[in-house]
């Protein structure tokens, strides 16, 4: 069975500072990994995804994530936070035999002026 | 291109009442998903459709929940009767085909059961 753990339900950074949101996964087969963002009262929007190939994945809005198999991690980063990045971020995993996304519990990013 | 459309956006009902949610996926998307998102948690899959066939409904509480996707386009999710614990956001998503295509989410319906 697959599972996702997001460390830190809340992360607070200053505007312009590095954003690091942590995600660890568990999967017995090669996983597909996703990061979604959810703004208040809106649905989830895909930031980026890893399926195969290059382990450093670049997404929208300047975000990127690196798949590290040895660490079973897929942490999300952005070099410089912007006020508009304040939202809830979800990491998710699926495998090729199942089309179901398994989500973590989410991390709320707060950006201080 | 229009996104996934859901209605209503908000619904408040008393327990034991029925409620229904409607979803219109992105045009041409064969796969449709219903998720439930409890407060402070990530979404959990309730049911997945491939065209009009429900191919994964293992997480759907079938005693009170039902869903349909007539003609393989729009879908309706129903709860009857609703319980206090059903208060959540119900999200609909669609993707072009099965596999690892990106799932596109609608804005959700926030259900409050009093």
């Amino acid at each position: 069975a697959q599972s996702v753990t997001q460390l830190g339900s809340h992360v607070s950074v200053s505007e312009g500072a590095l954003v690091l949101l942590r995600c660890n996964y568990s999967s017995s087969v090669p996983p597909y990994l996703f990061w979604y963002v959810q703004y208040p009262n809106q649905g989830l929007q895909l930031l980026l995804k890893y399926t195969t190939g290059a382990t450093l994945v670049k997404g929208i809005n300047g975000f990127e994530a690196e798949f590290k198999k040895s660490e079973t991690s897929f942490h999300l980063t952005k070099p410089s936070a912007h006020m508009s990045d304040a939202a809830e971020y979800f990491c998710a995993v699926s495998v090729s035999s199942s089309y179901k996304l398994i989500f973590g519990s989410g991390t709320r990013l707060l950006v201080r002026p | 291109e229009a996104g996934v459309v859901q209605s209503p956006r908000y619904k408040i009902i008393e327990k034991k009442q029925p409620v229904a949610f409607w979803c219109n996926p992105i045009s041409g998307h064969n796969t449709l998903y219903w998720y439930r998102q409890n407060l402070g948690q990530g979404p959990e899959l309730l049911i997945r459709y491939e065209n009009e066939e429900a191919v994964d409904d293992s997480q759907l509480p079938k005693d009170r929940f039902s869903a349909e996707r007539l003609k393989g386009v729009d879908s309706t999710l129903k709860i009857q009767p609703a319980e206090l614990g059903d208060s959540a956001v119900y999200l609909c998503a669609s993707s072009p085909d099965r596999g690892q295509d990106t799932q596109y989410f609608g804005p959700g319906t926030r259900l409050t059961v009093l």
Side-chain angles (χ1 to χ4, degrees):
Chain A
Q2 295 76 44
S3 66
V4 173
T5 301
Q6 292 185 240
L7 299 177
S9 59
H10 292 80
V11 170
S12 180
V13 301
S14 297
E15 191 174 17
L18 171 72
V19 175
L20 170 61
L21 304 182
R22 300 179 185 273
C23 172
N24 287 90
Y25 70 90
S26 173
S27 177
S28 57
V29 297
Y32 296 143
L33 295 160
F34 305 78
W35 275 100
Y36 280 85
V37 61
Q38 187 175 35
Y39 297 100
N41 299 316
Q42 295 187 28
L44 282 74
Q45 179 183 9
L46 182 71
L47 278 177
L48 49 81
K49 65 180 179 182
Y50 168 80
T51 54
T52 59
T55 57
L56 182 62
V57 181
K58 295 186 182 299
I60 62 172
N61 301 337
F63 285 94
E64 63 181 36
E66 186 171 10
F67 170 59
K68 292 187 177 181
K69 183 179 178 180
S70 61
E71 299 178 7
T72 62
S73 69
F74 191 57
H75 301 332
L76 182 70
T77 61
K78 181 174 181 178
S80 176
H82 192 273
M83 296 297 291
S84 61
D85 294 327
E88 185 124 26
Y89 292 79
F90 292 93
C91 182
V93 63
S94 70
V95 297
S96 59
S97 60
S98 165
Y99 311 110
K100 179 169 65 176
L101 286 173
I102 306 295
F103 286 90
S105 57
T107 297
R108 184 168 298 277
L109 176 65
L110 306 172
V111 182
R112 305 185 302 271
Chain B
E1 178 181 87
V4 176
V5 179
Q6 291 187 248
S7 68
R9 291 294 313 278
Y10 304 91
K11 189 73 175 179
I12 301 174
I13 61 172
E14 294 187 348
K15 62 181 181 181
K16 301 185 181 180
Q17 293 299 306
V19 64
F21 315 123
W22 176 79
C23 173
N24 179 244
I26 294 173
S27 177
H29 282 196
N30 297 322
T31 307
L32 184 145
Y33 311 77
W34 282 103
Y35 287 85
R36 177 168 61 187
Q37 185 177 18
N38 293 315
L39 186 64
Q41 299 182 23
E44 296 179 321
L45 182 70
L46 292 173
I47 190 168
R48 175 172 66 92
Y49 281 93
E50 296 290 343
N51 297 303
E52 63 273 9
E53 182 183 1
V55 295
D56 183 357
D57 63 356
S58 57
Q59 302 301 311
L60 189 73
K62 298 181 184 63
D63 57 336
R64 297 183 300 108
F65 285 66
S66 64
E68 61 181 9
R69 190 183 184 196
L70 300 177
K71 300 181 180 179
V73 181
D74 295 359
S75 178
T76 302
L77 178 69
K78 298 178 182 178
I79 309 174
Q80 183 172 10
E83 297 179 351
L84 295 177
D86 295 331
S87 295
V89 176
Y90 291 84
L91 294 164
C92 179
S94 69
S95 63
D97 204 347
R98 63 180 183 175
Q100 297 315 312
D101 286 312
T102 298
Q103 294 183 27
Y104 297 85
F105 284 80
T109 296
R110 181 176 298 276
L111 173 67
T112 301
V113 182
L114 303 176

